[in-house]
Amino acid sequence: MSDAPEDDPEIRAALLEQGLLSPVIEEWRVHYLEQHSEWFDFAQTVNRLAMKLWIAHWDDMQGEKITALKPTASRVFVRAINNFAATVILCERGLAIEAAALARSISEASIWLGYMAEEPVKALSDLEADDLHNFISRHKELRRVSDKSGDKISVAYSHAEEKKLKAALNGRNKPKWQTIAQNYGSSRAYMKFRIISGFYSHLSGASLQHHIQMTGSKTAFNILGPHSTEIPNALYFACDALTDCGAAYSVIVDDQPLAQAFRDTINPLNDLRDAMSPKSA
């Protein structure tokens, strides 16, 4: 197992029995925080900035419909903040691959918030349409499974619900995620989203490479983790995406000082990224 003190039989026994839920991982947390202190410190800076923005405007939308722009954007933003916290917590335990996979949700939020900031009416309509289309797809699957098992009650229920959903959809097409992602948010948001998806989130040959440790030019064995060397990458993607979220949400709530504060984090973040070794960049 990577990053473990290999010669300690008690630690090896604990890891073999409990995997990465072993209490010994908590002891390594201090080491990871020290080893990557610049990244964890920067993550705390971004988190404090995000919390400052959300707290400053959490009650701005009183009296508005829950589906209006500001209430909806606020929920997207707070979801991103929580995903960011979870990403940092995973990194503290060396679960950097899983943390980077979670950063994908923050990246997705940044694109939607960018869309809402630029074209709020269209974005809200597309968000609702996407949800309705997904509900319809789930009902079609329920109907397929129920039909095979002879469950006529569920089949009838599914048909009735799909009819209601199509009425609410009112002819709207399912929005194309790639088109949205390439046109809204930061200029490289979609490229980073694809990198996170391919190398960390999706089950793929690239993401499975993280669980291979080479022992020679043609020999290797599979490893469980943790993957502490990937902590900088995971925190980079998470910080970058939450910064984009904050910048877009600042525009939505018309907070120019905090919008600038988020933009001011970009250069320091890129400096940290550029300081990473070629192996982990």
Side-chain angles (χ1 to χ4, degrees), residues 90-165:
L90 286 171
C91 283
E92 289 177 355
R93 295 181 66 87
L95 293 165
I97 305 305
E98 294 70 24
L102 188 56
R104 179 180 182 272
S105 295
I106 312 172
S107 179
E108 181 182 28
S110 76
I111 292 167
W112 274 108
L113 286 170
Y115 191 11
M116 292 177 193
E118 291 190 44
E119 295 194 59
V121 175
K122 187 178 178 184
L124 291 176
S125 178
D126 274 352
L127 185 62
E128 182 186 47
D130 188 61
D131 208 26
L132 291 169
H133 276 285
N134 288 334
F135 270 114
I136 289 170
S137 294
R138 286 191 288 271
H139 275 289
K140 289 183 184 297
E141 178 61 16
L142 171 63
R143 196 156 60 246
R144 184 189 71 83
V145 174
S146 300
D147 191 47
K148 288 180 69 175
S149 64
D151 184 353
K152 294 181 179 179
I153 294 176
S154 292
V155 170
Y157 165 76
S158 175
H159 274 298
E161 290 300 304
E162 183 175 337
K163 184 177 181 181
K164 295 176 188 176
L165 292 165

